[in-house]
Amino acid sequence: MIDNLALAISHGLMLLAAWVLLRRPDLDKEPDPEDSTPAPKGVTSKSGNRPGA
């Protein structure tokens, strides 16, 4: 039989994580292209700088 305490702890932690993520203030905000800050010097957005890409 599956231990009810283990199920309660694991599901409770998943609910806590979802609740914390849903309360983030930046969840409903889409940045405007004008508001974006330029990338730091030497950093590009191409996949060449990402390891494993």
Side-chain angles (χ1 to χ4, degrees), residues 20-29:
V20 168
L21 288 174
L22 287 173
R23 289 189 55 219
R24 289 180 53 141
D26 61 339
L27 189 63
D28 290 331
K29 295 180 183 174

Side-chain angles (χ1 to χ4, degrees), residues 30-52:
E30 300 246 350
D32 290 333
E34 297 87 29
D35 292 343
S36 65
T37 58
K41 199 173 196 180
V43 176
T44 61
S45 61
K46 296 184 180 187
S47 62
N49 288 345
R50 293 188 327 205

Side-chain angles (χ1 to χ4, degrees), residues 1-30:
M1 187 166 127
I2 297 175
D3 187 19
N4 288 333
L5 179 62
L7 280 173
I9 290 173
S10 61
H11 283 79
L13 287 174
M14 287 190 287
L15 283 172
L16 178 66
W19 184 65
V20 168
L21 288 174
L22 287 173
R23 289 189 55 219
R24 289 180 53 141
D26 61 339
L27 189 63
D28 290 331
K29 295 180 183 174
E30 300 246 350

